[in-house]
């Protein structure tokens, strides 16, 4: 399901947004946020189910880093956690977005034939 597809625009997005506001008004903000988490996981499961474990690891690690940033008083330790979180996310993004690009470039320039991931 693409963000520009009619299925997303006319069914998934409205149900998710309306559900968020209804749950937030009648239940609690916590349940509304859990609704968004469940909708996000469903969206990724529907689109690319093999990415769910990676997404869950990323969510949990970012949540733990966010909790640590909120609880730490030492500025030096907070900076370390912040930069560790940024580095983790950039490395994850870079690996999954650009690895095949670099392998294709190496294959095109040289006589090496790396297998694409």
């Amino acid at each position: 399901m693409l963000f520009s597809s009619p299925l997303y625009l006319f069914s998934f997005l409205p149900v998710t947004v309306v559900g968020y506001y209804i749950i937030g008004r009648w239940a609690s903000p916590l349940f509304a946020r859990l609704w968004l988490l469940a909708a996000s996981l469903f969206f990724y499961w529907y689109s690319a189910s093999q990415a769910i474990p990676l997404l869950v690891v990323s969510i949990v690690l970012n949540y733990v880093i966010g909790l640590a940033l909120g609880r730490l008083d030492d500025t030096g330790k907070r900076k370390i956690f912040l930069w560790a979180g940024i580095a983790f996310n950039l490395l994850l993004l870079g690996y999954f977005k650009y690895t095949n690009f670099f392998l294709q470039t190496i294959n095109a320039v040289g006589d090496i034939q790396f297998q694409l991931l």
Side-chain angles (χ1 to χ4, degrees), residues 6-7 10 16-18 23 33-34 40 46 53 82 109 114 117:
L7 178 63
F10 299 117
T16 302
V17 172
V18 169
I23 293 170
R33 289 192 297 268
L34 288 174
S40 297
Y46 188 85
L82 176 66
V109 171
F114 287 115
L117 303 176

Side-chain angles (χ1 to χ4, degrees), residues 5-117:
S5 71
L7 178 63
Y8 177 82
L9 291 173
F10 299 117
S11 61
F12 180 78
L13 183 62
V15 167
T16 302
V17 172
V18 169
Y20 173 76
Y21 284 110
I22 289 172
I23 293 170
R25 180 176 296 241
W26 288 344
S28 73
L30 173 64
F31 287 122
R33 289 192 297 268
L34 288 174
W35 166 258
L36 286 181
L37 176 65
S40 297
L41 289 174
F42 174 79
F43 175 79
Y44 279 99
W45 170 80
Y46 188 85
S47 300
S49 61
Q50 71 275 10
I52 292 294
L54 179 66
L55 182 65
V56 170
V57 167
S58 177
I59 289 169
V60 168
L61 186 69
N62 281 294
Y63 184 76
V64 168
I65 289 173
L67 287 177
L69 288 173
R71 292 184 179 157
L72 289 174
D73 292 331
D74 183 17
T75 305
K77 288 182 182 178
R78 289 183 75 186
K79 284 184 181 180
I80 290 171
F81 271 89
L82 176 66
W83 285 108
I86 291 171
F88 169 75
N89 285 300
L90 288 176
L91 288 172
L92 200 63
L93 176 67
Y95 177 76
F96 285 100
K97 187 164 178 84
Y98 295 112
T99 300
N100 279 341
F101 168 73
F102 287 123
L103 291 176
Q104 285 175 337
T105 303
I106 291 170
N107 288 342
V109 171
D111 288 334
I112 304 169
Q113 293 300 318
F114 287 115
Q115 177 105 14
L116 298 180
L117 303 176

